[in-house]
Amino acid sequence: MPDHEAQRAGLTLSHVKITRGARTLVDINDHVDPGETLTVMGPSGAGKSTLLSYIIGTLDPTFTARGRVLLNGTDITQLAPEQRHVGILFQDELLFPHLSVGENLAFGLRPTVRSRTERKRRIDAALTDIGLTGFADRDPETLSGGQKARVALMRMLLSEPKALLLDEPFSRLDAARRDQIRTLVFAQARSKGLPVLLVTHDHADADAAQGRVHVLNI
């Protein structure tokens, strides 16, 4: 491993190439600094979500991949998904319907946070951080789309990821909520110094990210 990659903070995609049969879907060699966002754009089927699967360690074996993923200088390419410390947000919030809002957030806490008092403190602080003070006992089904998106974001952040992947998480929100959630997500990522990789087909998402853009072509 080159010394500059082993010592570099952020998310490095080192000569990552993903193919299926004879077709190359992804060919990228780039680095995302802490607090920076790299947007990967392309139409459906171009390989955007495939790239995210490779980064988090869930790539379908029907694909062939080479290249390395490094996080803060550590090669995570061969690690199990739960060992990679990479957070991801999807189009759907994926909140647990049988758990309250507070219990959903508690699910994101690291196992090392064992004290009931400390867990409650972190959950209450997280709700305040996203403008949902007092929502701990609410049923997720009573929340609006924007509120669900905020809870999903904070649940992921409570797991203390070292990088954030965004799989078109704004696409199902109406225009007003989309702008609000975009602003919140990117502000949280910058404040926590997280490198962000956003995949989208929406140019407005790329503009809001205020970073470089890598285009995948079919």
Side-chain angles (χ1 to χ4, degrees), residues 9-170:
L11 178 66
T12 302
L13 303 176
S14 181
H15 303 283
V16 171
K17 186 173 184 178
I18 304 174
T19 59
R20 191 170 196 173
R23 179 182 169 206
T24 297
L25 292 169
V26 175
D27 192 349
I28 185 170
N29 184 49
D30 212 327
H31 177 83
V32 191
D33 285 321
E36 179 187 27
T37 298
L38 173 66
T39 299
V40 176
M41 298 196 69
S44 296
K48 303 186 301 296
S49 294
T50 303
L51 173 60
L52 298 188
S53 295
Y54 183 60
I55 294 171
I56 64 175
T58 61
L59 185 66
D60 190 292
T62 58
F63 295 93
T64 300
R66 70 184 190 207
R68 294 174 305 170
V69 180
L70 297 97
L71 188 51
N72 297 330
T74 298
D75 189 340
I76 65 171
T77 316
Q78 303 302 324
L79 295 180
E82 65 272 14
Q83 296 176 317
R84 297 189 181 206
H85 301 294
V86 176
I88 186 166
L89 286 178
F90 298 99
Q91 291 180 11
D92 296 318
E93 301 88 4
L94 302 179
L95 300 180
F96 299 114
H98 62 290
L99 299 179
S100 68
V101 168
E103 289 167 339
N104 266 276
L105 291 176
F107 190 84
L109 289 169
R110 302 290 292 274
T112 51
V113 186
R114 295 191 178 124
S115 161
R116 181 176 296 180
T117 301
E118 178 61 13
R119 290 171 72 84
K120 183 180 185 304
R121 187 195 69 76
R122 293 197 188 192
I123 290 166
D124 289 344
L127 286 169
T128 298
D129 206 20
I130 55 175
L132 296 177
T133 300
F135 275 58
D137 294 329
R138 288 277 294 270
D139 183 333
E141 289 304 308
T142 67
L143 304 183
S144 68
Q147 289 170 335
K148 288 179 180 178
R150 281 184 267 169
V151 173
L153 168 66
M154 192 51 67
R155 181 179 64 183
M156 185 273 303
L157 291 176
L158 283 172
S159 70
E160 301 177 28
K162 297 177 182 177
L164 173 57
L165 307 182
L166 303 175
D167 191 359
E168 305 200 46
F170 316 119

